[in-house]
Amino acid sequence: SDVCSSDLAKTKGFASFAAMLLDKLIRLLNAEGGAIWICGSPPDLHLQIHQNLEKVCDGGLFLNHAGHTSFLQSVVRRKQACILDNDDRTGSVSSVEKSSQFSWLACPIILENGVHGILEVLQVPSNNTDLSRGSLKLLEMSAELISNFLQQQELAKLKESDEKWRQYELLVQKLNSNLNLNNTAFQIVNGCRVYLNCDRFSLLLQKGTNLKTIAISGTDHFDRRSERVRKLEVLSESVARSNQSLRYRGETDSLAPQLEQPIRDYIDESFATGMDLIPIFFESESGNNRENLGVLVIESFKEPLNTAQESMIPRVTNLARIALRNAVDHNNLPLISVARFAQGLKQ
């Protein structure tokens, strides 16, 4: 229970929780070592984490031993805790060949859909039956804690996913609430920054042969002649010409020569640790005409985007593309400036 309430376990996830629990369990049982296995496609078992196995078991060679594998698979089939020592006192797995001087204790980690993994420890054999049963009971309790932790993690993911969908629906509404180009650009950069939880989101619009910065998250006004904005536009134009997105995570060695220098120049001004530049293209219904609308720029200053955030970029890009296309078309309507002037007079 101390491990479950640990702030480190809550913030760092299952790997930290599993390491802390296994260490605590080994010390409580005075065991020689232990491991947590995760079930793959039957009958595969993958070692998630272990402690001291390489020291107590001939470099851990027994992990690939047929007898040990059969023992673990029997635990999965039975869906109950088992103990096997040199004399096979319990008779739990009488058909399994024993090849270690230690007792093997293993308990399945059970979730709603079946056995998710196995918690295992190795102990010096004991003639005390009550002590062995007590060890097995503590192992079962620990496996149940692991199961509860995984279920809580899954629930947290579902809540986070539900919240993300609500944010996405709100973003869709904001981006399509007004066809004014400046308002749409403002909603894109600020709404997408919140949705992705990045540090800065910028939008550059294609004007003639050049890209111009029209919106930056977190500010209503910015100096369009500043060195940082100028270098961002140079970098974005290089990316647009390549017709491919650019992902920067601190290294430039793998970049094409035409991109390497522009991104170095911009990083010197912005001090970003991570960047994603995504050209926005719009294709005609026939697919014969491809128009470059602009470039989205996502920046991080502390830590680059994680895998989950990166997976949301295509969704944001598609949403921004549609909203920007509608706003540009509306802005280019004949006499739109006259209509705006007349509306201003009425107000």
Side-chain angles (χ1 to χ4, degrees):
S1 60
D2 290 343
V3 174
C4 289
S5 61
S6 167
D7 291 336
L8 176 63
K10 292 178 180 178
T11 57
K12 295 298 183 181
F14 178 68
S16 295
F17 169 79
M20 294 172 64
L21 185 140
L22 186 61
D23 178 71
K24 195 100 171 180
L25 180 64
I26 289 173
R27 285 190 279 115
L28 285 173
L29 293 176
N30 195 26
E32 299 298 322
I36 295 177
W37 303 80
I38 300 298
C39 295
S41 301
D44 293 342
L45 288 166
H46 306 289
L47 185 61
Q48 174 75 21
I49 191 170
H50 74 88
Q51 185 170 321
N52 296 337
L53 294 188
E54 73 284 354
K55 297 179 182 179
V56 300
C57 299
D58 300 325
L61 294 177
F62 92 102
L63 295 176
N64 296 320
H65 192 281
H68 179 257
T69 302
S70 297
F71 171 63
L72 295 181
Q73 289 172 350
S74 70
V75 173
V76 174
R77 289 194 303 271
R78 292 167 179 263
K79 296 184 179 180
Q80 65 182 29
C82 297
I83 181 172
L84 188 68
D85 57 26
N86 286 326
D87 300 323
D88 192 17
R89 293 185 184 87
T90 63
S92 300
V93 196
S94 58
S95 62
V96 175
E97 175 188 357
K98 189 71 176 71
S99 63
S100 171
Q101 70 271 33
F102 299 104
S103 294
W104 298 343
L105 291 80
C107 181
I109 301 168
I110 299 177
L111 298 180
E112 291 182 359
N113 57 348
V115 178
H116 180 78
I118 296 175
L119 174 61
E120 177 187 30
V121 295
L122 280 72
Q123 281 185 314
V124 175
S126 171
N127 293 323
N128 189 329
T129 305
D130 291 337
L131 181 61
S132 297
R133 289 175 179 172
S135 296
L136 209 58
K137 183 63 177 177
L138 184 55
L139 195 69
E140 291 174 337
M141 294 170 62
S142 299
E144 187 176 351
L145 286 176
I146 295 175
S147 176
N148 291 338
F149 184 88
L150 290 171
Q151 289 174 352
Q152 290 173 7
Q153 269 199 329
E154 189 64 26
L155 181 61
K157 288 180 181 178
L158 290 174
K159 289 181 178 179
E160 182 180 357
S161 177
D162 187 52
E163 177 62 25
K164 277 297 178 185
W165 272 114
R166 282 198 292 268
Q167 290 181 6
Y168 182 74
E169 290 174 352
L170 181 61
L171 183 62
V172 171
Q173 294 174 5
K174 286 183 176 181
L175 265 58
N176 293 278
S177 62
N178 192 313
L179 290 176
N180 177 274
L181 182 57
N182 290 330
N183 181 74
T184 299
F186 179 84
Q187 295 294 347
I188 287 175
V189 297
N190 289 286
C192 290
R193 191 203 68 78
V194 172
Y195 182 71
L196 285 178
N197 194 27
C198 61
D199 292 320
R200 185 162 62 203
F201 199 106
S202 304
L203 172 63
L204 291 89
L205 187 66
Q206 189 75 41
K207 293 189 176 182
T209 58
N210 299 319
L211 282 166
K212 296 297 181 184
T213 306
I214 63 169
I216 299 174
S217 63
T219 180
D220 294 330
H221 305 283
F222 56 92
D223 186 359
R224 300 178 185 276
R225 296 172 295 178
S226 69
E227 194 68 9
R228 187 185 67 80
V229 171
R230 187 186 67 80
K231 289 185 177 180
L232 178 61
E233 292 173 349
V234 171
L235 171 60
S236 299
E237 288 173 359
S238 299
V239 172
R241 284 194 294 269
S242 71
N243 292 325
Q244 293 181 341
S245 298
L246 171 64
R247 177 161 292 170
Y248 167 79
R249 294 296 183 265
E251 299 291 336
T252 60
D253 296 341
S254 60
L255 298 179
Q258 62 269 28
L259 297 174
E260 185 175 355
Q261 192 57 48
I263 197 167
R264 283 181 176 176
D265 291 342
Y266 179 71
I267 294 300
D268 288 342
E269 291 290 334
S270 72
F271 304 105
T273 59
M275 289 187 70
D276 287 88
L277 291 92
I278 307 100
I280 309 173
F281 296 105
F282 189 84
E283 294 185 1
S284 62
E285 294 182 0
S286 63
N288 297 326
N289 184 27
R290 193 185 193 199
E291 180 184 355
N292 182 21
L293 293 176
V295 174
L296 300 177
V297 182
I298 304 167
E299 296 178 78
S300 303
F301 301 115
K302 295 180 180 179
E303 295 182 359
L305 301 184
N306 57 39
T307 303
Q309 290 171 303
E310 290 176 351
S311 67
M312 294 188 290
I313 290 179
R315 185 185 303 168
V316 165
T317 301
N318 186 56
L319 186 57
R321 176 180 61 83
I322 295 173
L324 190 61
R325 174 76 270 179
N326 291 337
V328 169
D329 287 347
H330 177 76
N331 191 66
N332 292 335
L333 287 174
L335 302 179
I336 190 65
S337 59
V338 176
R340 288 174 181 164
F341 179 74
Q343 185 178 14
L345 291 178
K346 289 181 180 181
Q347 294 175 349

